[in-house]
Amino acid sequence: MGMTIAGIFLVLAAFVAFGAIKIVPQGREFTVERFGRYTRTLKPGISFLTPFVEGVGRRVNMMEQVLDVPRQEVITKDNAVVQVDGIVFIQVMDAAAAAYRVDNLNYAIAQLAMTNLRTVVGSMELDEVLSQRDAINTRLLNVIDEATSPWGVKAARIEIKDLQPPPDITNAMARQMKAERERRAVITEADGERAAAIARAEGAKQAAILEAEGRREAAFRDAEAREREAEAEAKATEMVSNAIAAGDVNAINYFVAQKYVEAFAQLARSPQQKTVIVPAEMGALVGTVGGIGELVKTINAESPPPRPQARGRGAVPSTGA
């Protein structure tokens, strides 16, 4: 009988000791209630409670959590119906507030995100909704973080996971994108053709300029050659005139023979001339040529010999043959 009572007391002591010692795992916090009233929060580690007086109230997850925002249909400002869903990242900062200030914390945050998502998307037009997801995420985060602050919860971030416009709007957007790309292609092609035309015109311009400069240079050289030829002809005429003035008949024969030979050469080069008629008075022509030879000898005899040019210091002047 005594052994039975001792065993009962031993079991009761073990039960009391097990209830008084609490081990809190990392990433969790336990609230302590005394006769149903919150008294304190247990941090990760080992803690002791008063048997039969204190007990664990709520076991709160203090790690960051991800909550799904269910898909829903939202009407935009321009009366377009879109389907949108998202995800919310939250973390409990105050275990007591999260445990006793709201019932079913995850459900409350999901419903809060859904209602605010409808509000934000409904205040924007479809084009803004499709192109400004970052702005929507920022507005939702500010609203949800402010609303969950009394619950001891920090909203880290919120993201729109999927956003689907109606099929007819999707098709219209696809056609619009195709038309825009075709327009850009046409503009790019036109710019290329314009650049090519400009390059060709610039090349033709440079070619015309170079050709004109070439013609000008050729004309300048032709004029210079004609000028030198005219100077030589004038010098020869002056010398012959001087000879005629001195009473030399051979000078007159020189001019007559020159014109005679030029006319005869032109007659021989004519493409329509099949037969060349040689004048019978060849003796007079030979005499004229002889007179020209005598005139050249006379001119050479009257002209002074050329002065030798010094080729350098100590150079010896050259002698005629």
Side-chain angles (χ1 to χ4, degrees):
M1 184 67 179
M3 293 295 296
T4 303
I5 295 174
I8 292 174
F9 276 105
L10 183 61
V11 172
L12 183 61
F15 178 76
V16 171
F18 180 77
I21 299 174
K22 295 298 179 182
I23 298 176
V24 181
Q26 186 66 38
R28 308 281 178 172
E29 289 186 4
F30 294 171
T31 61
V32 177
E33 297 177 355
R34 179 178 296 176
F35 300 115
R37 183 179 179 180
Y38 167 77
T39 57
R40 68 182 187 275
T41 301
L42 302 180
K43 302 297 181 179
I46 186 170
S47 301
F48 298 93
L49 302 180
T50 304
F52 305 107
V53 176
E54 295 179 335
V56 175
R58 305 289 178 88
R59 293 172 169 80
V60 182
N61 185 356
M62 304 300 294
M63 295 181 290
E64 188 171 343
Q65 305 174 52
V66 181
L67 304 180
D68 285 329
V69 179
R71 181 182 295 273
Q72 58 182 330
E73 291 185 351
V74 181
I75 301 176
T76 62
K77 186 177 180 180
D78 52 353
N79 297 325
V81 180
V82 295
Q83 295 183 356
V84 59
D85 59 359
I87 52 177
V88 183
F89 296 83
I90 63 170
Q91 185 175 11
V92 176
M93 309 302 294
D94 188 349
Y100 299 110
R101 291 190 177 183
V102 62
D103 187 19
N104 198 343
L105 177 64
N106 293 346
Y107 178 77
I109 294 177
Q111 294 300 315
L112 182 64
M114 289 179 62
T115 55
N116 284 277
L117 184 60
R118 283 196 298 268
T119 302
V120 173
V121 175
S123 63
M124 304 172 64
E125 295 183 355
L126 179 61
D127 292 339
E128 296 177 347
V129 173
L130 297 176
S131 61
Q132 298 183 10
R133 290 195 178 188
D134 293 339
I136 296 175
N137 296 336
T138 302
R139 292 176 60 182
L140 287 174
L141 180 61
N142 294 334
V143 173
I144 294 176
D145 186 41
E146 183 179 357
T148 57
S149 180
W151 302 342
V153 177
K154 173 66 176 178
R157 58 188 178 275
I158 181 170
E159 301 287 342
I160 293 179
K161 187 167 58 177
D162 190 16
L163 197 154
Q164 294 182 356
D168 55 345
I169 295 180
T170 303
N171 296 333
M173 292 171 59
R175 293 194 301 270
Q176 181 182 3
M177 180 184 64
K178 181 179 179 180
E180 179 65 21
R181 293 186 179 275
E182 290 179 353
R183 184 183 67 85
R184 292 180 182 178
V186 171
I187 293 176
T188 303
E189 184 178 359
D191 290 341
E193 292 179 355
R194 181 171 63 87
I198 292 174
R200 288 194 296 269
E202 186 68 22
K205 174 184 175 183
Q206 294 295 331
I209 292 175
L210 293 177
E211 184 179 359
E213 290 179 353
R215 290 196 303 269
R216 184 185 65 177
E217 183 69 19
F220 176 77
R221 293 185 180 274
D222 291 342
E224 186 178 3
R226 289 194 300 269
E227 182 180 359
R228 291 182 179 178
E229 183 180 359
E231 290 177 355
E233 185 70 22
K235 185 175 181 181
T237 303
E238 182 182 1
M239 295 174 64
V240 173
S241 299
N242 294 334
I244 293 173
D248 192 351
V249 183
N250 291 329
I252 300 175
N253 294 334
Y254 168 76
F255 277 107
V256 174
Q258 183 182 15
K259 299 300 181 179
Y260 191 87
V261 171
E262 290 179 358
F264 188 77
Q266 185 176 2
L267 179 63
R269 287 195 302 267
S270 177
Q272 289 81 15
Q273 189 68 27
K274 301 295 179 71
T275 304
V276 179
I277 302 175
V278 179
E281 298 177 353
M282 291 298 296
L285 178 61
V286 172
T288 304
V289 174
I292 295 173
E294 293 296 332
L295 177 61
V296 171
K297 290 180 181 180
T298 303
I299 295 174
N300 291 332
E302 293 178 356
S303 300
R307 297 177 61 186
Q309 296 180 357
R311 300 181 180 271
R313 181 178 298 177
V316 178
S318 59
T319 58

